[in-house]
Amino acid sequence: MNEKDSQRVALVTGATDGIGRAVALELARKDNRVLITGRDPTRGAEVLSALHAARPGLAHAFVPADLSLLSETARLATEVEARVQRLDAVVCCAGILSTVPEWTNEGLERNFVLNYLTRYLLARKLLPLLNASPSGRLVLVSNAGNYADTLDFDDLQHRRGRPGLRVAGRTQFANDLLATELAARQRDSGLEVTCVFPGFVRTSVFRNARGLPRLLRWAAPFFQRFFAISPELAAQTPVFLAHSPRAKGSNGCFYGPRVELRVVPPRAQRSERRAALWSMSEALVSSYL
């Protein structure tokens, strides 16, 4: 196997800030060629420069995309397919905290799309590249079992739902179902699908959050300063799962900070809920598959 064939390649979403940025840089330090995506070209260029400084000589790249839109997500997948012959890891970090529903110009609820549906679409589009790797890894950075099953299959776009924590919570639980269902479907392929709760992290999540009470927005930076972990520490688990040979056998597992194995709750293992969400997600993205 020549050097080009052995070069590991990783895609990191939400990589222009916070956990995603830390994951991308650490993967580069571990000799991965890293493709990053985000909406802001200026921040993308800054992270790309940092990637080249961390590991020179590799064709790291920034591919801009707005992952609240299915059309942009499909374009991202097409551009990745044009750049690489295989993907060893996809680490999904892009997401938002919001307690208010919003709808994109594609007619879908923004939080549901950004936090979950475009991850489903990326996984479906990039499975051939992941399966072309001798040890493909798909890592969903989410909440890994922290949220109850509040998905309403009769109103996935939350048109009739009220504002509140459920707006975000239902999207996090959708990641739980995606991880367990895709892991089951890929059981014999060698692909490892995992879901990660990174912990309480010092990121811009509260500054960028939508609909939070003013008191919470005011208090959050204080608690983050004294009680939250750094993005670099939070990145340890997704980096381990995306890169380490010791992560072999992790398919379908949930993890927390410091590579702590978590119990997969029974609600995330219900076959009828997993299958229903998969089927409805497939219908929503069918024109992009």
Side-chain angles (χ1 to χ4, degrees):
M1 181 180 291
N2 61 41
E3 183 178 357
K4 181 178 179 181
D5 292 334
S6 64
Q7 180 65 60
R8 289 186 61 84
V9 184
L11 169 67
V12 183
T13 74
T16 56
D17 194 16
I19 300 170
R21 184 184 190 278
V23 167
L25 289 173
E26 187 58 26
L27 286 174
R29 295 184 188 106
K30 293 181 179 296
D31 291 333
N32 287 262
R33 175 189 175 192
V34 182
L35 310 180
I36 59 172
T37 187
R39 291 183 303 165
D40 188 328
T42 301
R43 290 196 297 180
E46 183 274 324
V47 177
L48 183 57
S49 177
L51 288 172
H52 286 301
R55 178 52 170 93
L58 298 182
H60 307 303
F62 170 62
V63 184
D66 180 353
L67 296 185
S68 67
L69 297 171
L70 295 179
S71 56
E72 285 277 289
T73 303
R75 178 186 58 76
L76 168 65
T78 299
E79 292 199 26
V80 170
E81 290 169 336
R83 289 173 181 265
V84 302
Q85 295 182 329
R86 82 180 201 204
L87 273 174
D88 297 280
V90 175
V91 185
C92 296
C93 298
I96 189 173
L97 172 61
S98 178
T99 63
V100 292
E102 302 173 90
W103 294 273
T104 69
N105 58 19
E106 295 177 336
L108 301 173
E109 204 281 310
R110 183 174 185 267
N111 301 281
F112 182 74
V113 178
L114 179 55
N115 291 347
Y116 162 72
L117 191 58
T118 47
R119 295 179 172 202
Y120 173 88
L121 178 56
L122 269 182
R124 291 292 303 273
K125 297 278 284 184
L126 297 178
L127 271 178
L129 290 177
L130 284 165
N131 284 325
S133 166
S135 59
R137 315 287 177 85
L138 173 64
V139 183
L140 305 175
V141 178
S142 181
N143 270 268
N146 279 344
Y147 282 88
D149 182 355
T150 56
L151 281 169
D152 182 353
F153 288 155
D154 293 323
D155 187 24
L156 275 182
Q157 305 312 319
H158 213 67
R159 293 284 181 181
R160 300 188 300 274
R162 297 179 178 179
L165 188 59
R166 179 174 295 193
V167 174
R170 77 194 208 287
T171 70
Q172 301 301 316
F173 180 70
N175 277 266
D176 293 354
L177 293 181
L178 174 59
T180 53
E181 178 65 14
L182 186 56
R185 289 173 178 256
Q186 294 290 309
R187 183 175 292 117
D188 299 324
S189 71
L191 175 64
E192 311 278 1
V193 182
T194 52
C195 194
V196 175
F197 170 57
F200 184 43
V201 188
R202 287 193 297 274
T203 68
S204 59
V205 61
F206 289 102
R207 185 170 68 248
N208 296 333
R210 305 181 187 216
L212 293 184
R214 182 178 300 177
L215 179 60
L216 181 57
R217 291 176 65 92
W218 175 84
F222 170 82
F223 285 100
Q224 283 184 308
R225 179 178 180 182
F226 292 101
F227 300 106
I229 63 176
S230 68
E232 291 72 25
L233 182 56
Q236 285 183 356
T237 302
V239 167
F240 170 82
L241 295 171
H243 178 83
S244 177
R246 292 185 292 120
K248 186 174 177 60
S250 62
N251 188 42
C253 293
F254 286 14
Y255 287 84
R258 298 175 175 86
V259 199
E260 178 186 11
L261 192 63
R262 309 188 91 198
V263 174
V264 180
R267 61 182 176 273
Q269 302 180 55
R270 292 174 58 190
S271 58
E272 75 281 6
R273 297 294 278 176
R274 288 164 31 191
L277 181 61
W278 184 278
S279 178
M280 297 183 80
S281 301
E282 185 172 53
L284 287 168
V285 306
S286 60
S287 61
Y288 299 101
L289 292 176

